[in-house]
Amino acid sequence: MKEQPHRLKWHILFVITIFALAAAVYSASQTINYNWQWHRVLPYIVDTSPVDIIAQGDGSASINNSSLTITYDNGEPDRVISNADTLLVSDGDIIFEGDLLARQESVRMGVLIEGLLTTLEISVISLFFSLFIGLVAALMRISNNPFSKNLSLLYVEVIRGTPLLVQIFIVYFFLGTVFDLERFTAGIVALSVFTGAYVAEILRSGIQSISPGQMEAARSLGMTYPKAMMYVILPQAFKRTLPPMASQLINLIKDSSLVSVISITDLTKAGREVVSGSFATFEVWFTVAALYLLLTSTLSWAIQRIEKRLANNG
Amino acid sequence: MVNTYKGHDMVVTANVDKIYPNNCHALKKVTTNIKRGEVVVIIGPSGSGKSTFLRTLNQLETITDGDIIVDGVNMYDDRTNINKLRENVGMVFQSFNLFPHLTVKENVMLAPLKVSKLPKSEVDAEAQTLLKRVGLAEKMDVYPAQLSGGQQQRVAIARALAMKPDMMLFDEPTSALDPEMVGEVLDVMKSLAAEGMTMIVVTHEMGFANEVADRVLFMEDGSLLVDDIPENIFGTVANHPRLQKFLSNIL
Ligand SMILES: Nc1ncnc2c1ncn2[C@@H]1O[C@H](COP(=O)(O)OP(=O)(O)OP(=O)(O)O)[C@@H](O)[C@H]1O
Ligand SMILES: [Mg+2]
């Protein structure tokens, strides 16, 4: 326990450094007279602005027990508004199309949280597809068949040798036009194919790190090659590849920010939109970064849990 | 060309040649036959082709030339299902090769469940019986990494037996073991032999060969040089100069 005071000193230094960094950021913003307004970000996280209720045609209003009834002149069925928080017309008023009738309090997800959910959705779907593509490509790569081996090699080399941004454009503008893909689908295809190539390499090296004796033992028991893979080799390979797989899947979340270039309103695109509306540039981007960190750290926590559970055996 | 062999011999090999891709000529015209219930021990210096020969008998290695007939089935006939054939031929490796991600009992149960597709309750009961038999009833639910080498090898034998094979191949099953654990594995093998299992054993345990083997094969440089009963191999009569030299080096 002699080490303890020594370690405490370093912890204190760490905390001081973090504060110094925060102070540096603050004073840097002072030199350009930046006015921090964190409260401006809040509406983009939780949207509490009231919802306006607008008249859809000409008619007249009648109020009964704080319930507003609009009778339209053109004979359309009456509109009853009973749950409004503030009524902006009085009993007997003549109403014209487009008039503001009432306001309703509401709590909705802000634009940034909607973006976060889009990012999460794209990432989760791409995660499953990339694991599938990666597994198939890895199995093709280690097979003895020159056709599947070369096909897999070509796929991995082409994908790893070109930028993701270019791939997204190619999928969106070329494949998207030819196969009439929605932008959301195009984004998922590009991300899955891209990440799949890296997953394939990780899985391939994982499978090849398992001693050949495992395959021999499985085959000597009468298992077919696919069964031996499924029950003996892959479970061990998956366990070994968890750490590199975790960082690749975290990359997937971060890489998904690039789909904002094809106008998918993910977290990054939402950030760009909010910046132009709120004039709180720094605050918004710091918030966006924090939200990404929330996703990635949740994922890495989850994978660590899996790793711990698997570490108990074997 | 023989297609099926209508005898009662468990294994017939005829002029088996094996040349590895690196041009290493590991087996040269190996011809022998092994009867049902026979225990055959293969001895010979390192690199003489003992493992290669054993592994050709369940096609972990393919051969370059010759014929292998196992239980009446020509291994290189197009109609032969090699997986079916392997179900009937158990193998025990020098390095155990237990599945580290499965418990001891799961190791024994895997092939009967996934290959033979037997009901789980039946497979479970059978696995327990086998593990009791090799003296590991207490260790069913632990992982292989928590076992000693001798215990792991006994699990490996139980795992092979779970497929109810007609023949067992052993490739130096005690060579990776500490000396004090050799006995427990040899005892299990002796009891198998006593029950009439057909066994082909590559080993350096000359005591086991002398005591248990019906026949001893001596290989050198890819060739089967001597094929005789243990009395003649280990007896005082100098019957083969190369065998004499090998035995005097090892004993
Ligand atoms: N996979 C392989 N590729 C190329 N050559 C091989 C391979 N396996 C074995 N050999 C060679 O074939 C010959 C026979 O090897 P084998 O392993 O059958 O010998 P062994 O009698 O079992 O030896 P040991 O007692 O050391 O186990 C050796 O010269 C060896 O180098
Ligand atoms: Mg060997």
Side-chain angles (χ1 to χ4, degrees):
Chain A
M1 287 294 119
K2 247 176 109 181
E3 300 240 35
Q4 219 56 1
H6 219 66
R7 292 178 60 85
L8 186 66
K9 224 161 47 185
W10 288 108
H11 282 301
I12 292 170
L13 183 66
F14 173 75
V15 173
I16 291 173
T17 309
I18 296 301
F19 271 104
L21 275 175
V25 170
Y26 181 76
S27 67
S29 65
Q30 289 303 99
T31 62
I32 55 165
N33 289 324
Y34 191 80
N35 186 14
W36 291 93
Q37 294 174 298
W38 284 99
H39 63 272
R40 281 187 181 241
V41 180
L42 212 59
Y44 301 103
I45 293 175
V46 188
D47 189 353
T48 53
S49 65
V51 177
D52 293 342
I53 299 172
I54 310 281
Q56 284 132 330
D58 301 346
S60 57
S62 61
I63 294 173
N64 217 329
N65 291 338
S66 78
S67 151
L68 171 68
T69 307
I70 309 291
T71 317
Y72 290 114
D73 294 341
N74 59 8
E76 272 186 42
D78 290 356
R79 184 172 180 202
V80 181
I81 300 159
S82 54
N83 51 358
D85 292 288
T86 14
L87 292 180
L88 298 167
V89 290
S90 352
D91 196 29
D93 278 3
I94 305 289
I95 307 289
F96 296 101
E97 185 174 344
D99 279 1
L100 188 56
L101 303 175
R103 278 223 169 89
Q104 196 176 339
E105 303 290 334
S106 86
V107 180
R108 284 159 294 162
M109 279 186 293
V111 179
L112 287 180
I113 298 301
E114 277 175 2
L116 180 76
L117 291 183
T118 305
T119 288
L120 186 66
E121 190 182 353
I122 290 177
S123 302
V124 169
I125 297 174
S126 303
L127 186 150
F128 282 109
F129 280 117
S130 62
L131 287 180
F132 178 75
I133 295 171
L135 180 61
V136 172
L139 291 175
M140 282 169 70
R141 180 73 186 278
I142 57 168
S143 84
N144 284 326
N145 183 322
F147 169 78
S148 34
K149 214 187 181 97
N150 289 336
L151 197 64
S152 166
L153 194 72
L154 183 71
Y155 159 64
V156 171
E157 288 308 313
V158 167
I159 295 300
R160 295 207 306 178
T162 51
L164 174 58
L165 195 54
V166 174
Q167 291 170 26
I168 291 175
F169 283 135
I170 290 176
V171 170
Y172 182 56
F173 290 113
F174 178 68
L175 296 183
T177 315
V178 174
F179 296 105
D180 197 21
L181 298 183
E182 275 182 53
R183 55 182 88 243
F184 193 78
T185 317
I188 284 173
V189 168
L191 274 175
S192 307
V193 168
F194 176 78
T195 308
Y198 290 85
V199 169
E201 275 303 283
I202 292 171
L203 283 179
R204 179 190 63 80
S205 69
I207 292 171
Q208 287 179 337
S209 77
I210 306 296
S211 123
Q214 290 290 310
M215 182 54 104
E216 288 179 353
R219 296 306 302 272
S220 78
L221 289 164
M223 286 191 208
T224 58
Y225 180 86
K227 276 186 185 160
M229 265 292 159
M230 184 141 111
Y231 300 115
V232 175
I233 307 297
L234 287 180
Q236 298 181 57
F238 276 132
K239 185 176 155 185
R240 271 189 208 180
T241 51
L242 264 179
M245 201 66 93
S247 69
Q248 193 55 50
L249 297 179
I250 283 167
N251 279 343
L252 168 63
I253 293 179
K254 296 185 291 180
D255 291 339
S256 75
S257 70
L258 286 178
V259 300
S260 61
V261 297
I262 53 172
S263 286
I264 295 176
T265 312
D266 72 329
L267 183 49
T268 300
K269 179 91 189 317
R272 286 223 303 266
E273 284 169 4
V274 167
V275 162
S276 55
S278 71
F279 304 107
T281 317
F282 293 2
E283 294 87 334
V284 168
W285 286 122
F286 278 117
T287 307
V288 167
L291 289 174
Y292 272 113
L293 200 57
L294 181 74
L295 286 186
T296 53
S297 52
T298 308
L299 179 65
S300 80
W301 172 81
I303 291 178
Q304 268 175 31
R305 288 279 311 253
I306 299 175
E307 240 174 299
K308 279 227 181 74
R309 262 192 48 195
L310 290 180
N312 291 338
N313 60 50
Chain B
M1 263 300 280
V2 203
N3 267 338
T4 50
Y5 177 86
K6 307 268 186 234
H8 60 278
D9 280 1
M10 194 67 209
V11 176
V12 178
T13 72
N15 294 318
V16 169
D17 259 54
K18 168 73 181 178
I19 304 171
Y20 279 107
N22 61 357
N23 273 330
C24 175
H25 203 155
L27 294 178
K28 295 168 187 163
K29 301 232 173 295
V30 177
T31 301
T32 189
N33 58 331
I34 291 158
K35 290 192 190 63
R36 204 170 273 278
E38 234 182 339
V39 177
V40 173
V41 166
I42 305 177
I43 59 175
S46 176
S48 58
K50 306 181 296 291
S51 298
T52 305
F53 179 64
L54 200 68
R55 291 157 59 85
T56 60
L57 300 181
N58 65 352
Q59 219 184 88
L60 284 184
E61 300 292 353
T62 53
I63 59 176
T64 314
D65 198 15
D67 283 304
I68 300 180
I69 295 146
V70 173
D71 207 6
V73 179
N74 186 334
M75 199 179 264
Y76 289 90
D77 188 320
D78 287 342
R79 287 161 298 184
T80 301
N81 179 346
I82 191 63
N83 294 314
K84 267 272 166 287
L85 189 147
R86 282 177 179 147
E87 287 177 35
N88 205 24
V89 179
M91 188 166 207
V92 174
F93 302 84
Q94 179 175 350
S95 52
F96 327 134
N97 293 342
L98 291 180
F99 306 136
H101 61 299
L102 301 177
T103 63
V104 164
K105 197 166 78 177
E106 287 166 347
N107 262 274
V108 178
M109 290 171 65
L110 185 68
L113 280 181
K114 304 301 179 190
V115 178
S116 315
K117 301 216 159 63
L118 297 173
K120 184 151 190 198
S121 55
E122 186 183 315
V123 173
D124 192 289
E126 175 69 17
Q128 298 198 25
T129 311
L130 281 170
L131 286 168
K132 273 197 200 98
R133 176 173 167 185
V134 298
L136 288 168
E138 313 292 295
K139 301 287 185 183
M140 298 216 216
D141 297 315
V142 308
Y143 287 92
Q146 293 153 263
L147 297 181
S148 73
Q151 291 171 327
Q152 290 194 44
Q153 195 60 298
R154 285 184 281 149
V155 175
I157 295 173
R159 178 177 70 178
L161 290 175
M163 292 302 285
K164 302 193 169 58
D166 285 334
M167 170 166 77
M168 289 279 285
L169 310 174
F170 295 82
D171 192 358
E172 303 200 29
T174 57
S175 295
L177 298 179
D178 292 337
E180 72 269 22
M181 292 169 187
V182 170
E184 64 193 53
V185 172
L186 290 182
D187 285 346
V188 172
M189 291 169 63
K190 282 176 196 167
S191 79
L192 262 180
E195 284 169 26
M197 173 68 78
T198 312
M199 292 165 63
I200 308 178
V201 185
V202 174
T203 186
H204 295 296
E205 295 293 328
M206 295 306 153
F208 176 85
N210 202 3
E211 182 186 339
V212 184
D214 297 308
R215 267 163 61 206
V216 176
L217 310 184
F218 171 67
M219 291 184 74
E220 196 178 67
D221 198 21
S223 301
L224 182 54
L225 289 188
V226 182
D227 174 349
D228 213 337
I229 56 171
E231 288 74 14
N232 291 343
I233 298 270
F234 302 110
T236 44
V237 201
N239 39 23
H240 202 291
R242 311 293 286 271
L243 174 61
Q244 277 297 300
K245 191 164 173 285
F246 170 72
L247 288 176
S248 64
N249 280 344
I250 201 168
L251 293 173

